[in-house]
Amino acid sequence: MPAEIDNPLENYRNHFREGFLHAAEEEFQRLLKASGVDEAENARRVAAIRKLEGQLSSAESKKGLLTMLMILLFLGLAAAGFCCYHGFEIQNQDYQLYGGGAAAAILLLLITWVIPARSRASTQVSDLKQKLEEEKNAAYEQMAPLNALYDWDITSRLIHKVCPILNLDPYFTEGRLAELEDHFGWNRAYHTDQRSVLFSQSGDIQGNPFAFGEVLAQEWGKKTYSGSIVIHWRERCTDSKGKSYWVTRSETLVATVTKPIPVYGLEKFLIYGNDAAPNLSFSRQPSGLKGEDADLFDTIKKKWRLHRLKAFSRDLTDDSNFTLMSNHEFETWFHAKDRDNEVEFRLLFTPIAQTQMLNLMKDETVGYGDDFSFVKERKINVLYSRHLNKAVIDTDPSHFQHWDYDAAWANFIRFNEKYFKDAYFSLAPLLAIPLYQQMRSHEDIWKGVIGGEASSFWEHEAIANFHGERKFQHPSCITRSILKTKVTRRENGESTVAVTAYGYRGVKRVDHEDVYGGDGKWHDVAVEWVEYLPVNRTSNLCLTEASAPSEVFKRRVAASRESAYRRSILSFLAG
């Protein structure tokens, strides 16, 4: 297994993918052995559960058919009764005889067979559901020792074992955040009252810090409300013979108003700090180009984009210092035309870096292809990618817990493989730049200077969100809540964190709009809408932080399906 990543795509294809699979399999077997779970006994119970599930499915189908038959028979009984009643009304004995006979036969069939059979089927379904729940609970008890061994750090340990260059922190500390902010220039103002961290995972590559973040962001959008009235009026008309007559007409008048409304969305991103090219800033977006499957349209698009880049490079009338590099294919794909330091851009994107970045962007079989945005602001790099936005980036142990050993095995392997792939190819554009790995470890430079194992506000917001917005939100809030935190006390390893939930209450308003009707008059149409007014509520969250994270946090366990969050919550104090 390579200690360094000299070619991210090839290293993943030839080493990391298979190596991680083996490591995940070994880790699961280690946990299984430590748990003492009897696979054979669980397999027998699971077989019984599957048998019960089959019986339950058949019983529910039978119950459904009997229910449908019962409904049809009741409809038939109603029709027969109506026929008999109609026969009495018109004094038709045939209607009376056939209707009454059919009604009697249907009623007899319902009473003697259909209703009792459906009742028995319903009882059977209830009994099977109860037995199935009991068997699943027993299976959970069997698997409880294994479920208790899953912890939040399993995936990060596997990643570091297979790819030692990647270190993932047990939790996001103040020291790590200070690194990103004080030295590399990450702007804390990014986390306004309209953004709340749902999950974070920090770490470093050769001592240079990175952090994955998932945030809930609130913005203002617009909503159109409508109201309507129906108007009536009379018009005098003349027919073809010249005679006049009155006609009553009607029309629905609709009025609309557009008002602001809070809109919430999720964002996932990667922040990375590195001292390389400290004066360089640029941005790029997914190119939309294709690699091996390029068609005629794609070829034309590439040529047109290169033509535009050449023209932009020759234009000396603007303030840009953009100069096209000799590798036109890289320029066409990467398309960072807003770069502001050509010397440092070339220092960063050497021929090797260009080749590796091209390989990443053009490949869609091993990785995710060109699905990432890359923004560099001096020493800070921020990456967004489509696959990361769809990925699960938390390592909640509940992802692995199951009552079925085979399902637990499959979930464990599948989840960890997917997590590693998603994280690796989110980092891959950074790993494709050799200079980023060659820089002296920032951890060594700042060792003993940046301290503080206390958890950062990123962790506090994530903990609060894990417990749920509703535990913190204002009673009048009708929207989602953005949770923000502030440490109010920190003593003897215990911290009191004030959690403020920002949301909105709704107040019903009415606007009156004039709408011109077909009667030649203006009409007042009322439109109801909701005005969103801010509300907030502050509660306290108490937590503990281990004094020795390397010993404690790396061994913490989420013991059950009702386990606490990864960061050792002591209690939640509302109000």
Side-chain angles (χ1 to χ4, degrees), residues 229-233 251 253 255 512-526:
I229 60 171
V230 179
I231 61 172
H232 302 271
W233 71 94
E251 181 184 9
L253 301 181
H512 294 271
E513 299 291 319
D514 289 333
V515 181
Y516 192 74
D519 59 354
K521 299 177 182 179
W522 290 93
H523 296 268
D524 180 84
V525 180

Side-chain angles (χ1 to χ4, degrees), residues 156-361:
S156 60
R157 289 198 300 270
L158 289 173
I159 291 175
H160 182 67
K161 179 180 179 180
V162 174
C163 192
I165 194 175
L166 302 180
N167 295 305
L168 280 77
D169 300 330
Y171 60 102
F172 198 163
T173 66
E174 282 283 4
R176 182 69 80 190
L177 183 58
E179 259 189 305
L180 286 166
E181 290 181 344
D182 299 339
H183 180 76
F184 294 105
W186 174 248
N187 189 358
R188 184 178 286 225
Y190 173 81
H191 295 282
T192 64
D193 289 348
Q194 282 73 48
R195 306 172 74 85
S196 180
V197 178
L198 302 183
F199 184 79
S200 66
Q201 177 63 67
S202 62
D204 68 79
I205 303 172
Q206 301 286 60
N208 292 293
F210 67 81
F212 286 97
E214 179 179 6
V215 300
L216 176 67
Q218 182 253 311
E219 297 178 348
W220 283 99
K222 293 182 178 180
K223 181 177 179 179
T224 300
Y225 301 83
S226 63
S228 63
I229 60 171
V230 179
I231 61 172
H232 302 271
W233 71 94
R234 298 186 71 197
E235 287 185 359
R236 184 184 292 275
C237 299
T238 304
D239 61 16
S240 57
K241 296 181 180 180
K243 296 181 65 176
S244 63
Y245 61 95
W246 289 95
V247 176
T248 300
R249 302 192 185 278
S250 65
E251 181 184 9
T252 300
L253 301 181
V254 178
T256 60
V257 295
T258 300
K259 300 293 181 178
I261 182 174
V263 178
Y264 297 83
L266 298 179
E267 291 181 6
K268 295 175 185 175
F269 55 89
L270 167 65
I271 309 167
Y272 174 67
N274 196 292
D275 287 320
N279 303 305
L280 171 64
S281 296
F282 67 80
S283 65
R284 62 91 53 188
Q285 303 294 326
S287 65
L289 301 176
K290 298 179 182 178
E292 296 180 358
D293 298 329
D295 52 19
L296 179 61
F297 176 78
D298 196 61
T299 302
I300 295 172
K301 186 178 179 180
K302 290 176 183 177
K303 290 181 177 180
W304 174 247
R305 178 171 291 184
L306 179 59
H307 171 74
R308 295 288 300 272
L309 285 173
K310 287 180 178 179
F312 184 67
S313 180
R314 290 193 298 265
D315 187 1
L316 304 179
T317 61
D318 59 23
D319 296 330
S320 171
N321 294 317
F322 176 81
T323 304
L324 195 67
M325 294 197 295
S326 59
N327 189 340
H328 291 172
E329 187 178 23
F330 170 77
E331 289 279 26
T332 303
W333 279 79
F334 200 70
H335 206 255
K337 60 183 294 186
D338 64 348
R339 58 198 189 229
D340 59 2
N341 192 310
E342 284 294 331
V343 173
E344 291 194 356
F345 189 82
R346 283 161 170 73
L347 182 67
L348 207 61
F349 291 98
T350 61
I352 293 176
Q354 294 173 31
T355 300
Q356 294 186 163
M357 193 69 75
L358 269 172
N359 290 339
L360 277 176
M361 292 187 291

Side-chain angles (χ1 to χ4, degrees), residues 46-61:
V46 169
I49 290 173
R50 300 304 182 199
K51 183 177 179 181
L52 283 171
E53 287 178 338
Q55 292 173 349
L56 177 61
S57 178
S58 298
E60 287 179 330
S61 296

Side-chain angles (χ1 to χ4, degrees), residues 366-383:
V366 178
Y368 294 101
D370 185 11
D371 76 333
F372 64 92
S373 300
F374 192 151
V375 180
K376 187 179 190 306
E377 285 286 344
R378 305 297 183 256
K379 297 180 182 180
I380 281 288
N381 303 261
V382 184
L383 285 89

Side-chain angles (χ1 to χ4, degrees), residues 386-498:
R386 296 183 187 128
H387 77 268
L388 180 63
N389 215 40
K390 299 175 183 177
V392 176
I393 65 172
D394 71 84
T395 52
D396 188 338
S398 64
H399 293 312
F400 313 130
Q401 295 167 355
H402 209 281
W403 49 266
D404 180 353
Y405 166 81
D406 290 333
W409 163 270
N411 289 347
F412 186 87
I413 301 301
R414 180 172 57 250
F415 176 87
N416 282 294
E417 278 192 306
K418 184 68 164 56
Y419 190 100
F420 176 57
K421 181 179 180 181
D422 290 339
Y424 182 89
F425 281 102
S426 296
L427 292 162
L430 303 171
L431 300 172
I433 302 172
L435 186 59
Y436 274 171
Q437 295 183 54
Q438 294 164 6
M439 293 298 293
R440 181 186 170 193
S441 168
H442 187 70
E443 185 180 62
D444 292 338
I445 300 172
W446 283 65
K447 189 173 292 182
V449 178
I450 292 181
E453 296 296 344
S455 53
S456 68
F457 78 90
W458 284 51
E459 289 290 352
H460 303 158
E461 290 183 12
I463 291 169
N465 279 299
F466 181 84
H467 279 286
E469 300 168 28
R470 293 187 178 182
K471 286 186 172 68
F472 301 94
Q473 72 180 15
H474 191 280
S476 301
C477 181
I478 63 170
T479 64
R480 296 199 65 174
S481 292
I482 298 293
L483 305 184
K484 304 302 295 182
T485 62
K486 182 180 180 181
V487 176
T488 58
R489 184 186 65 85
R490 183 171 280 153
E491 186 178 352
N492 299 325
E494 294 184 13
S495 297
T496 300
V497 179

